[in-house]
Amino acid sequence: MNQVADILQLAFDARQQHVDAVLATVVRTEGSAYRKPGAMMLICEDGRSAGMISGGCLEPHIIKRAFWLTRHGASVQVYQTGDEQKEDLEDELEEKLDNDAIDFAVDLEDELNFGLGCNGKVHVLFERLSSAMPYLDLIQKVRQSGESTTVATLIRSNSSEVTVGTRVHLNASFLDDNKNSQKIPEQTTNLPKPVIDELSAYKVSKRHADYLVLKSPVANDNSSKNAIQTEWLVQRVQPQIRLLVCGAGNDVMPLVTMAKLQDWHVTVIDSRPQYATRQRFPQADAALYVALNDSETLLKLSQNAAVALMSHSLSQDRARLAVLLKNANHCNYIGQLGPRYRTERLIKEISATCADPTALADGINQLHYPIGYKLGGDGPEALALSIIAQISAVVYEQVAVTKELAQPKASYE
């Protein structure tokens, strides 16, 4: 979820300023779509907005209609991005919006074709900020704690007992600020128990966002005709990708900038205190002095993080890499800057001082060196792009891309 930080900040500001807003969330896609389920956009009544749910094609309509579509509560609207757009689309839409008989909260068959040529459908949930705020607060907790969680959002139901936009928090292992396991919120207990049971048993795929249809029997009634049918977006809410850069040289600056554009959490460390400063890295979430013998801090900062070793110092790289290779499963990614022979020299020196060199095997197999992909170009900016691309492919498990571009860079040979 990109632009999440801007959405959370705007939501906080709107709440503090008592400004109403509408959260628009992509809850399902069919065919080709620019954004994935979970993409959000926040529209304030004073004209401010943050986020995107398309490539800019749907946003003008979304901004214009968001408050109307939520006049009776949360609603779902379906947008077609096929080839043919009706010339009188706006007139037809005005007529529909003037007709109070149209119930957008349940009518998913009311589809608007924007004639974009993408041949897809985008299902968008609209809800006022007052009802969406608990979900946004949960996203903020995920970002702060680094612990992912699973949330199911109701898209449609044939039962009047449940409301479109209802959310169920499914991951009992998620930790709150006090490190206590979260439970399914009390406000969701109006859902029939069979529905909650089926949702709780569901495992989200690697895509982290699934469209799920449930047919749950009514208590004391086994007739399929009376079954409760619900449609859900089951979403794994993920924390930010965490990037730890070991080394605070000038070539790290564009890497920090590009990582923050991706909404990553970035920490820069160096054993030279004059290098790792907030003045040099104002965009980073943290710039810290960490001594080379401070393995405890290194392991704490690198937990579940992507680590880029790029200090241009043999002593710094050797000390950091020795710790990381022994704890390879601790990180999501480890990359070493420099030509292949340099890294192989470091590995040889680390192995010579290790009581059990076989303990380094997993780390060496997972180590990416030279760091980044062979994309072409020259200079710190090109290097930063290659590193960002490789980390993204590894973290998002894009195996084919990883293998295709994993050849060593000629400039590092």
Side-chain angles (χ1 to χ4, degrees):
M1 294 185 291
N2 296 335
Q3 305 172 322
V4 175
D6 293 338
I7 292 173
L8 294 175
Q9 184 61 55
L10 182 56
F12 174 81
D13 293 343
R15 181 168 55 177
Q16 292 294 106
Q17 298 160 6
H18 304 288
V19 174
D20 200 3
V22 173
L23 181 68
T25 306
V26 177
V27 290
R28 184 188 176 194
T29 61
E30 301 176 71
S32 178
Y34 186 82
R35 298 299 307 274
K36 297 178 180 179
M40 300 181 297
M41 180 178 184
L42 187 69
I43 304 103
C44 293
E45 62 182 350
D46 61 7
R48 291 175 294 172
S49 66
M52 296 176 67
I53 62 168
S54 74
C57 315
L58 304 180
E59 278 70 15
H61 169 83
I62 296 298
I63 292 172
K64 186 177 181 180
R65 305 298 180 184
F67 283 90
W68 179 272
L69 293 171
T70 53
R71 70 196 190 282
H72 297 318
S75 67
V76 173
Q77 181 72 41
V78 182
Y79 299 97
Q80 293 189 42
T81 59
D83 294 327
E84 299 298 329
Q85 178 183 11
K86 296 181 179 179
E87 294 182 1
D88 58 348
L89 175 62
E90 284 297 319
D91 293 338
E92 178 182 330
L93 181 58
E94 291 289 353
E95 181 180 349
K96 288 180 178 180
L97 292 176
D98 289 338
N99 182 1
D100 288 336
I102 297 294
D103 185 357
F104 286 97
V106 298
D107 186 10
L108 286 176
E109 302 306 321
D110 183 52
E111 300 174 355
L112 303 177
N113 194 332
F114 279 72
L116 304 176
C118 299
N119 296 323
K121 291 182 181 180
V122 182
H123 301 241
V124 182
L125 168 68
F126 296 86
E127 54 190 326
R128 292 294 172 96
L129 183 60
S130 57
S131 60
M133 206 64 220
Y135 175 60
L136 295 177
D137 286 338
L138 180 62
I139 293 175
Q140 183 64 38
K141 285 185 178 181
V142 167
R143 292 165 69 89
Q144 292 171 346
S145 68
E147 298 280 344
S148 62
T149 190
T150 304
V151 176
T153 303
L154 182 64
I155 301 173
R156 192 180 191 186
S157 172
N158 63 354
S159 171
S160 59
E161 298 179 9
V162 290
T163 308
V164 166
T166 295
R167 288 190 174 91
V168 182
H169 188 187
L170 301 176
N171 187 4
S173 65
F174 175 76
L175 301 179
D176 61 16
D177 293 337
N178 297 317
K179 303 300 181 182
N180 297 317
S181 294
Q182 294 277 7
K183 303 296 182 182
I184 293 176
E186 291 296 326
Q187 62 265 31
T188 64
T189 54
N190 64 318
L191 288 170
K193 188 176 183 301
V195 176
I196 293 180
D197 291 342
E198 289 189 71
L199 283 173
S200 299
Y202 185 77
K203 303 298 182 183
V204 185
S205 70
K206 289 185 177 181
R207 296 191 304 270
H208 300 303
D210 296 337
Y211 169 67
L212 179 64
V213 179
L214 297 179
K215 292 185 179 180
S216 308
V218 179
N220 302 319
D221 188 346
N222 294 324
S223 173
S224 60
K225 294 181 179 179
N226 297 324
I228 298 176
Q229 179 168 313
T230 51
E231 300 175 25
W232 299 86
L233 166 66
V234 184
Q235 181 186 4
R236 191 74 174 166
V237 181
Q238 300 279 69
Q240 294 168 279
I241 292 178
R242 304 181 73 86
L243 172 63
L244 173 64
V245 185
C246 299
N250 291 345
D251 58 346
V252 173
M253 295 175 181
L255 177 61
V256 172
T257 298
M258 290 187 187
K260 292 308 297 180
L261 285 173
Q262 297 293 318
D263 192 33
W264 294 6
H265 183 282
V266 182
T267 301
V268 178
I269 66 172
D270 204 296
S271 64
R272 300 161 293 188
Q274 71 274 20
Y275 277 65
T277 66
R278 295 296 298 172
Q279 289 75 18
R280 283 173 53 79
F281 298 97
Q283 292 181 297
D285 294 276
L288 307 170
Y289 161 74
V290 178
L292 293 184
N293 61 355
D294 189 353
S295 300
E296 182 179 352
T297 299
L298 177 61
L299 289 174
K300 180 179 179 181
L301 294 174
S302 62
Q303 184 171 6
N304 298 324
V307 183
L309 294 152
M310 45 193 307
S311 70
H312 299 279
S313 163
L314 280 171
S315 59
Q316 282 209 55
D317 286 349
R318 187 187 302 110
R320 309 292 194 203
L321 188 59
V323 175
L324 294 170
L325 289 180
K326 294 176 184 177
N327 300 272
N329 294 330
H330 187 79
C331 311
N332 292 331
Y333 167 96
I334 308 174
Q336 175 66 62
L337 179 70
R340 180 170 292 273
Y341 67 82
R342 179 182 186 273
T343 302
E344 290 174 348
R345 171 187 170 182
L346 288 171
I347 293 173
K348 184 177 180 179
E349 293 173 351
I350 293 168
S351 298
T353 60
C354 183
D356 180 14
T358 60
L360 306 175
D362 288 344
I364 295 171
N365 288 335
Q366 295 178 37
L367 181 63
H368 296 268
Y369 68 97
I371 194 171
Y373 281 151
K374 185 179 178 181
L375 300 179
D378 185 34
E381 293 78 15
L383 174 63
L385 179 61
S386 74
I387 295 172
I388 291 289
Q390 188 175 63
I391 293 175
S392 294
V394 172
V395 171
Y396 292 116
E397 300 180 343
Q398 298 297 311
V399 179
V401 175
T402 303
K403 290 181 178 179
E404 182 179 353
L405 296 175
Q407 300 301 316
K409 300 179 185 64
S411 60
Y412 285 162
E413 287 301 292

